Amino acid sequence: MEMQKQLQCMFLLGAVLITFFIICWDAKRDRSSYLQVASSPDFTQLKMRQEHRRRIIRELCSANSGLNFTEKSMTFDQIPNKALNHLIVDDHHGVIYCFVPKVACTNWKRVMLVLSHNLKAPDGAQYLDPLDIPITMIHNSTLHKTFNKLWRRFGRHSRPLMHHKLKNYTKFLFVRDPFVRLISAFRDKFVKPDEYFYNLHGSEMLQRYANISKPPDSVEEAFAAGIRLSFTHFIKYLLDPQTEEEKPFNEHWQQMYRLCHPCQIEYDFIGKLETLDEDTEHLLKILGLDNYIHFPPGILPERINSLNIRLKSAHVGVDRNEADQLPKKALQPNIEMTKQIRVVNKKEEVHTALEQHQEKSEEFST
């Protein structure tokens, strides 16, 4: 009898523990689901985000805005053909992508190669996974169909063809905090040994701004001798009128508005690196390609924001007068456009590229 009571107690205790576990598991699952829904914008919010970003660009590009720069008043037909080389066209799916270096363009170029069928695998099959495309092929300009190539092929008949595609295709681009993009370009091309960029730009910077009359012949010799470019040298190079008089800006630090012409091209979708995953998922759904192609995994948004903070902090030694001039002389249109293109979120603050441009607003967030 005593044994039976003990068994009943153990069974009851087991039932209670199992019930408690199930309740806790369901509560945890419900909380996880709630947090996931709460942290992921729904389609309506994403749509509002895009409407907001497009509206901001229209306002800044309007004749009544206080933002003035030479390219603003140009028409599309006044843009030189060579300046349209960043507009990649996919005729199979009716898509036009304007790529901006240092803004996830490597992965988007992978996607465009898969969509356009311009590159086949060694066995002759079509690439289906963007990550399968060899890294050496991604930035091969001969594989991407651009507006500039339309001009080379069709000559004076190319402009009507461009207008037709702009009217009927889905056009998109991705942008990034312009000052952080500059820092990223500097770290990628000059902090690490890069013979090409050293010969093309680095050696000249050392001569002009580091008082080195005869810089080493190679980047390896320069690094071995402890001769390094500073970010201050880089900023002076960008601000110096002589720089663009001698050669155009390299695409890695060329202003985004001069690469993609947002005042002449009405983009249907504007993504940001800081919201890359959400924007990419939204765009692929709009294009009806979300079940066909998967965007290569990138840096999580929180890591991107953390990286932005670290990049800025790493270069706080830049002379303040030079830093103050940079947005005014070289980046102002980019800063105004990108600092305004923010996700509506009342709990966040706007973080612009430079301290003097920081402001708090309940409309925008990073």
Side-chain angles (χ1 to χ4, degrees):
M1 190 69 177
E2 187 68 26
M3 179 66 72
Q4 186 177 3
K5 286 183 178 180
Q6 289 181 355
L7 289 173
Q8 287 176 345
C9 288
M10 292 178 63
F11 177 79
L12 181 61
L13 179 61
V16 170
L17 289 174
I18 292 173
T19 303
F20 178 74
F21 174 78
I22 292 173
I23 292 173
C24 290
W25 176 262
D26 285 344
K28 181 180 180 181
R29 184 181 60 183
D30 291 344
R31 182 174 181 272
S32 177
S33 298
Y34 169 77
L35 291 175
Q36 184 176 5
V37 171
S39 62
S40 301
D42 59 23
F43 188 79
T44 301
Q45 290 174 312
L46 293 172
K47 186 177 180 181
M48 288 175 59
R49 172 190 288 178
Q50 286 303 313
E51 291 174 352
H52 174 73
R53 292 174 179 176
R54 291 196 302 268
R55 175 175 59 81
I56 289 298
I57 286 188
R58 286 197 302 270
E59 291 175 355
L60 292 173
C61 288
S62 69
N64 298 326
S65 77
L67 183 65
N68 295 310
F69 53 99
T70 305
E71 289 82 354
K72 176 181 174 180
S73 59
M74 294 173 61
T75 65
F76 176 77
D77 287 334
Q78 291 175 321
I79 300 173
N81 289 299
K82 63 181 180 180
L84 299 174
N85 209 36
H86 280 244
L87 292 161
I88 298 177
V89 183
D90 167 30
D91 291 314
H92 292 278
H93 302 91
V95 176
I96 297 174
Y97 162 53
C98 184
F99 71 92
V100 178
K102 311 306 297 179
V103 190
C105 76
T106 296
N107 281 339
W108 271 115
K109 283 184 176 182
R110 284 181 166 132
V111 170
M112 295 300 287
L113 284 172
V114 171
L115 295 178
S116 65
H117 304 159
N118 286 345
L119 179 65
K120 288 182 169 40
D123 61 359
Q126 299 287 348
Y127 280 106
L128 299 178
D129 186 346
L131 287 176
D132 289 338
I133 295 178
I135 189 68
T136 55
M137 297 286 107
I138 296 169
H139 297 291
N140 187 335
S141 60
T142 63
L143 298 175
H144 297 284
K145 181 179 180 181
T146 65
F147 267 24
N148 187 36
K149 289 182 181 178
L150 288 178
W151 170 74
R152 292 179 182 177
R153 181 177 179 183
F154 298 103
R156 61 188 179 89
H157 301 292
S158 61
R159 288 289 168 157
L161 186 58
M162 293 179 192
H163 281 287
H164 174 79
K165 294 180 187 295
L166 289 173
K167 180 180 178 180
N168 295 285
Y169 287 12
T170 300
K171 306 165 291 296
F172 75 94
L173 79 160
F174 275 75
V175 298
R176 180 185 190 179
D177 181 315
F179 193 64
V180 175
R181 176 173 169 254
L182 275 186
I183 297 172
S184 178
F186 171 77
R187 287 164 61 94
D188 187 37
K189 304 305 179 186
F190 300 110
V191 172
K192 298 182 295 185
D194 189 309
E195 192 68 35
Y196 176 80
F197 278 88
Y198 176 81
N199 291 330
L200 197 61
H201 305 281
S203 178
E204 185 177 355
M205 289 186 217
L206 291 173
Q207 284 182 309
R208 286 198 210 168
Y209 315 115
N211 296 320
I212 299 177
S213 58
K214 185 171 175 39
D217 293 332
S218 70
V219 69
E220 285 81 6
E221 293 177 20
F223 272 57
I227 298 174
R228 303 285 185 93
L229 282 167
S230 71
F231 189 61
T232 298
H233 297 148
F234 185 50
I235 286 184
K236 288 180 177 180
Y237 183 68
L238 298 179
L239 294 175
D240 192 338
Q242 181 183 347
T243 299
E244 279 208 280
E245 289 175 2
E246 294 179 352
K247 62 172 76 80
F249 270 5
N250 182 273
E251 64 177 0
H252 291 87
W253 48 83
Q254 176 70 283
Q255 297 96 325
M256 288 179 276
Y257 73 91
R258 294 171 70 181
L259 295 174
C260 295
H261 321 289
C263 289
Q264 291 76 30
I265 298 173
E266 189 173 350
Y267 285 92
D268 303 292
F269 191 95
I270 302 160
K272 286 185 61 192
L273 186 67
E274 292 77 4
T275 52
L276 178 65
D277 290 344
E278 294 173 358
D279 290 343
T280 296
E281 183 180 359
H282 184 201
L283 176 58
L284 291 177
K285 286 182 179 178
I286 290 174
L287 298 174
L289 297 170
D290 51 314
N291 293 323
Y292 172 70
I293 197 166
H294 296 285
F295 190 79
I299 304 175
L300 295 175
E302 57 267 24
R303 287 188 60 198
I304 291 175
N305 289 326
S306 174
L307 176 63
N308 287 353
I309 293 172
R310 294 203 309 273
L311 285 174
K312 291 177 184 178
S313 300
H315 295 280
V316 292
V318 175
D319 183 87
R320 176 53 54 192
N321 292 328
E322 293 165 354
D324 286 343
Q325 292 180 55
L326 187 59
K328 296 175 184 176
K329 289 188 176 182
L331 296 177
Q332 187 64 29
N334 278 341
I335 287 180
E336 291 299 327
M337 288 182 182
T338 52
K339 85 174 181 181
Q340 296 282 5
I341 300 173
R342 306 290 183 183
V343 183
V344 178
N345 186 334
K346 294 183 179 180
K347 296 181 180 179
E348 299 290 336
E349 291 182 348
V350 173
H351 293 280
T352 56
L354 298 171
E355 288 181 2
Q356 72 274 20
H357 286 279
Q358 290 178 349
E359 62 181 33
K360 293 183 179 179
S361 173
E362 290 187 348
E363 279 191 296
F364 309 123
S365 74
T366 52

